[in-house]
């Protein structure tokens, strides 16, 4: 970030006459999101979007050095169900990526390319509906809505408002009735999330085996019972150097499956440097969440990542989160802690036991502020 930009952010952040809460409420009450600002021809971002978090500061990054992209693993899943030697190789690749990066991409994952492309189109189509139509789905705090539209889940808690709108679809438990989902994306959301769920089963098997456990170990812990899909829409930003698409954060789940379009912008923090996660045609991005790091007793990493705001757009991404008992599901009170089979005298537990409800209450209240929730649960 340039000195001029940093100064502007500092001035805005410390302006005693600036009523941030009123501006947040005014934005929220439009029920039209960031896209409405862009459609209205905004040329300067409103103050609530000024990025004043050090963890989000946009500095020259390794994205300018394409050769360093090669460090983020791309894992080929073809043949893992038929060929034991191939499966063994992939398990080792998953283990290495999970320990070193917390992120990897997968190809030949059995979700057809046309389904992925249609999913991106479906999410884009919803966000490009007439604003009055979308307002009927807008919700911030109604837990009964299994499909909803909003901008920034942590709008009133996070220090920086993100340049992003979102749809949320609860896949499991208790998905919405089809009539609750807009027709423009109804069929493809059902198709894509069904296939993503099957991929999730495979990934949890590979992760279990990479921990030295039987393939069904993680699934037996009911980690697949909660499944949430978010469809993000990042409009073009008139001042991307002042804003952030998604603030630096680590995910609050066990595992995330991300479909991103070809626009790019996702970065992960590795060895204190921001690395691009370049779009690979046909690939899906996989990352481990905080709850997986807790289960593995720090063997696997949950790492911070962010999305840059851009002049061009919209950028579309679809994230599927595995998190048991999302917002009060029946498994929300299951107690999770470091897997006992991984512990020893030389590897004592790092974390105390907790429940999904307790973890989410802390994580959601904190918002995306660039800090990890995990230290709060350390012994």
């Amino acid at each position: 970030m340039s000195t001029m930009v940093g100064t502007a952010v500092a001035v805005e952040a410390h302006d005693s006459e600036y009523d941030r809460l009123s501006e947040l409420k005014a934005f929220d009450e439009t029920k039209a999101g960031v896209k409405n600002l862009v459609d209205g021809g905004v040329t300067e971002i409103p103050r609530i979007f000024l990025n004043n978090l050090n963890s989000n500061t946009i500095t020259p990054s390794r994205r300018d050095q394409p050769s360093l992209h090669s460090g983020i693993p791309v894992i080929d899943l073809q043949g893992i169900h038929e060929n034991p030697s191939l499966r063994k190789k992939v398990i080792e690749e998953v283990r290495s990526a999970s320990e070193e990066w917390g992120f990897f991409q997968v190809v030949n994952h059995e979700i057809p390319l046309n389904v992925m492309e249609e999913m991106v189109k479906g999410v884009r189509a919803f966000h490009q509906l007439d604003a009055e139509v979308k307002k009927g789905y807008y919700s911030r705090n109604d837990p009964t809505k299994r499909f909803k539209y909003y901008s920034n889940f942590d709008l009133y808690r996070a220090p920086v408002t993100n340049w992003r709108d979102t749809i949320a679809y609860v896949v499991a438990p208790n998905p919405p009735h089809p009539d609750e989902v807009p027709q423009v994306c109804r069929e493809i959301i059902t198709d894509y999330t069904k296939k993503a769920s099957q991929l999730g089963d495979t990934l949890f098997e590979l992760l279990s085996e990479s921990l030295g456990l039987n393939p069904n170990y993680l699934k037996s812990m009911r980690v697949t019972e909660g499944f949430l899909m978010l469809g993000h829409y990042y409009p073009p930003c008139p001042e991307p150097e002042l804003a952030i698409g998604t603030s630096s954060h680590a995910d609050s789940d066990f595992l995330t499956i991300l479909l991103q379009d070809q626009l790019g912008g996702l970065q992960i923090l590795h060895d204190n440097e921001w690395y691009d996660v370049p779009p690979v045609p046909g690939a899906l991005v996989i990352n481990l969440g905080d709850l997986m790091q807790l289960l593995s007793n720090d063997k696997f990493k949950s790492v911070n990542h962010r999305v840059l705001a851009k002049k061009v757009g919209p950028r579309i991404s679809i994230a599927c989160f595995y998190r048991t008992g999302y917002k009060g599901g029946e498994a929300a009170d299951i107690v999770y802690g470091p897997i006992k089979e991984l512990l020893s005298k030389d590897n004592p537990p790092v974390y105390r036991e907790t429940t999904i409800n307790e973890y989410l209450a802390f994580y959601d209240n904190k918002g995306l502020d660039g800090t990890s929730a995990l230290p709060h649960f350390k012994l």
Side-chain angles (χ1 to χ4, degrees), residues 176-192:
H177 187 278
D179 290 345
E180 297 177 54
V181 183
Q183 189 172 2
V184 71
C185 56
R186 181 185 304 159
E187 186 176 340
I188 188 58
I189 284 180
T190 302
D191 188 19
Y192 177 79

Side-chain angles (χ1 to χ4, degrees), residues 124-137:
R124 181 186 294 113
F126 173 86
H127 286 284
Q128 292 180 345
L129 287 171
D130 184 89
E132 291 302 314
V133 175
K134 290 191 294 183
K135 284 181 182 180
Y137 297 96

Side-chain angles (χ1 to χ4, degrees), residues 76-231:
D76 190 341
L77 301 184
Q78 188 166 11
I80 61 169
H81 299 296
E82 300 82 28
N83 189 319
S85 61
L86 271 180
R87 187 178 183 91
K88 183 177 180 181
K89 175 177 177 291
V90 167
I91 289 168
E92 176 57 28
E93 291 173 346
V94 168
R95 182 199 62 76
S96 177
S98 300
E99 290 180 359
E100 295 178 24
W101 290 89
F103 263 80
F104 53 94
Q105 301 203 58
V106 294
V107 295
N108 293 316
H109 42 65
E110 299 185 347
I111 300 181
L113 181 60
N114 69 300
V115 173
M116 296 167 63
E117 291 173 343
E118 288 302 311
M119 185 63 195
V120 170
K121 290 178 183 177
V123 170
R124 181 186 294 113
F126 173 86
H127 286 284
Q128 292 180 345
L129 287 171
D130 184 89
E132 291 302 314
V133 175
K134 290 191 294 183
K135 284 181 182 180
Y137 297 96
Y138 195 89
S139 175
R140 183 159 301 284
N141 298 311
D142 186 351
T144 66
K145 284 202 170 187
R146 316 299 283 177
F147 179 95
K148 57 187 174 182
Y149 154 65
Y150 56 86
S151 187
N152 289 257
F153 80 93
D154 54 353
L155 182 67
Y156 294 104
R157 300 183 298 278
V160 176
T161 306
N162 292 175
W163 197 259
R164 179 191 74 245
D165 297 331
T166 301
I167 56 173
Y169 174 90
V170 177
V171 186
N174 306 319
H177 187 278
D179 290 345
E180 297 177 54
V181 183
Q183 189 172 2
V184 71
C185 56
R186 181 185 304 159
E187 186 176 340
I188 188 58
I189 284 180
T190 302
D191 188 19
Y192 177 79
T193 55
K194 179 180 178 180
K195 290 178 170 60
S197 179
Q198 293 167 349
L199 173 60
D201 286 345
T202 296
L203 292 169
F204 277 116
E205 289 179 4
L206 296 172
L207 288 165
S208 293
E209 292 179 81
S210 67
L211 287 169
L213 305 168
N214 75 69
N216 292 316
Y217 191 98
L218 288 170
K219 286 191 287 185
S220 72
M221 298 180 74
R222 301 172 67 181
V223 299
T224 62
E225 289 187 17
F227 196 34
L228 171 71
M229 186 219 80
L230 300 182

Side-chain angles (χ1 to χ4, degrees), residues 292-366:
M292 183 62 73
Q293 181 168 331
L294 184 148
L295 290 183
S296 71
N297 205 44
D298 280 351
K299 183 176 178 63
F300 289 166
K301 289 183 178 180
S302 170
V303 303
N304 272 36
H305 48 288
R306 67 184 184 185
V307 177
L308 304 183
K310 291 194 168 192
K311 279 267 190 186
V312 295
R315 176 186 185 267
I316 307 295
S317 69
I318 296 93
C320 291
F321 298 89
Y322 277 99
R323 188 173 59 199
T324 310
Y326 175 70
K327 300 272 186 172
E330 64 179 21
D333 290 319
I334 294 176
V335 176
Y336 287 102
I339 294 171
K340 291 181 170 51
E341 286 84 345
L342 304 180
L343 304 179
S344 66
K345 182 179 180 181
D346 297 326
N347 184 36
V350 175
Y351 302 98
R352 64 178 175 84
E353 293 182 331
T354 186
T355 64
I356 304 299
N357 274 336
E358 182 191 15
Y359 181 83
L360 285 181
F362 180 80
Y363 184 98
D364 287 352
N365 186 62
K366 180 178 71 68

